Amino acid sequence: MRIARYTQGDDPVYGLVDADGKKIAEVTGDPLYQRIELTGRTTTVDEVRLLAPVIPRSKIIGIGRNYADHAAEMGNDVPEEPMMFLVPNTAVVGPDDPVVIPTALTSEVHYEGELAVIIGRMCKDIQPEEAKKVIFGYTIANDVSARDLQRGDGQWARAKGMDTFCPLGPWIETDLDPQDVSITTLRDGEVVQDGHSSDMVHGVAALISHASRSFTLLPGDVILTGTPAGVGPVTAGQRVDVEIDAIGTLSNPFVASE
């Protein structure tokens, strides 16, 4: 099942997207917290503005260096345990929303295409074999990163947490096996990342288990599972598309701050 959050100029609503990704059937309520029912109203994806499918009320947990080839290209070792960082929910934007590069703060911004996991139930100290029970679904993320701030600050709060630096979308896919999905990133139509989730150092279940030992996970929390090799610079005027088979495409233009 694919669940989209969208607007036609009024308040945001949720809907079920068909298998072709073209039609949306509106539902009542927020599927993360309520039982949903079809309203009988339908529309097409082309007629609406897709929004970020979830705005976390609590947190976004990023995972660094979870692909050995990406760690190597950045000159880093693979950590023995998942390397976690937090991203504020104010960084979230949706499909086709601009990613704003704050030119007064950074001159070295990179794209990072990733598979994102959305938590559906409150949980703590989950074992890997129990992780599937707390997953609501999956979406696509672009973990935008200011490399110069990463190096200069010595930690990643600003580098990965600035406004608009966490595009999510285009919708939530609830029926997905995350073991081996392709992750492809294109910059202005050119393929720059071509990886598979099977190359993760720590799989989805292990990441959820590890995160839940430190943080109580709440419905709507998002875990960014890391990026494969091929990260690189993106500048104002360029567009980045992240494609994951069985989900769709997340596309965002990059613009300079005024």
Side-chain angles (χ1 to χ4, degrees):
M1 181 169 62
R2 291 176 172 176
I3 302 173
R5 180 171 166 265
Y6 62 97
T7 180
Q8 290 181 292
D10 299 319
D11 293 334
V13 295
Y14 290 87
L16 305 183
V17 181
D18 68 1
D20 295 327
K22 295 181 178 180
K23 296 181 179 179
I24 304 178
E26 183 182 294
V27 298
T28 59
D30 184 334
L32 268 166
Y33 304 97
Q34 302 163 330
R35 180 183 177 86
I36 59 173
E37 295 182 0
L38 292 168
T39 66
R41 291 187 288 271
T42 61
T43 186
T44 66
V45 170
D46 291 340
E47 294 176 307
V48 305
R49 178 190 169 201
L50 291 175
L51 305 173
V54 60
I55 300 293
R57 299 183 184 181
S58 174
K59 56 191 170 292
I60 303 161
I61 301 170
I63 304 295
R65 305 176 191 170
N66 198 30
Y67 286 77
D69 54 0
H70 170 59
E73 74 176 349
M74 301 301 290
N76 297 311
D77 295 328
V78 175
E80 292 185 9
E81 292 189 332
M83 177 184 291
M84 298 187 293
F85 57 92
L86 294 177
V87 176
N89 60 9
T90 48
V92 173
V93 292
D96 290 317
D97 287 339
V99 176
V100 180
I101 300 172
T103 54
L105 299 176
T106 178
S107 60
E108 190 182 352
V109 171
H110 282 200
Y111 54 80
E112 291 191 8
E114 308 198 4
L115 175 68
V117 184
I118 299 167
I119 300 299
R121 292 170 48 189
M122 183 171 70
C123 60
K124 176 69 175 173
D125 294 326
I126 287 290
Q127 295 300 313
E129 57 270 21
E130 300 174 310
K132 189 175 182 179
K133 298 177 182 178
V134 305
I135 296 172
F136 182 78
Y138 301 85
T139 193
I140 304 171
N142 189 348
D143 178 25
V144 180
S145 306
R147 298 298 185 206
D148 44 2
L149 296 184
Q150 226 174 336
R151 291 191 299 268
D153 290 353
Q155 47 82 22
W156 300 356
R158 278 203 307 168
K160 291 174 173 284
M162 288 190 286
D163 291 353
T164 75
F165 269 31
C166 188
L168 297 175
W171 39 64
I172 299 168
E173 174 59 71
T174 61
D175 300 316
L176 178 72
D177 182 352
Q179 299 301 316
D180 188 18
V181 296
S182 65
I183 303 169
T184 306
T185 303
L186 299 92
R187 180 183 53 199
D188 285 344
E190 177 187 0
V191 174
V192 287
Q193 287 185 286
D194 186 10
H196 290 81
S197 61
S198 58
D199 293 326
M200 289 182 189
V201 177
H202 306 284
V204 167
L207 295 178
I208 293 173
S209 176
H210 183 76
S212 74
R213 293 189 207 124
S214 298
F215 314 112
T216 297
L217 301 180
L218 301 176
D221 281 355
V222 176
I223 298 178
L224 311 178
T225 60
T227 194
V231 301
V234 56
T235 58
Q238 295 187 304
R239 176 176 285 270
V240 175
D241 303 323
V242 185
E243 301 175 353
I244 294 183
D245 56 0
I247 300 181
T249 301
L250 171 66
S251 181
N252 296 92
F254 282 67
V255 302
S257 59
E258 296 181 358

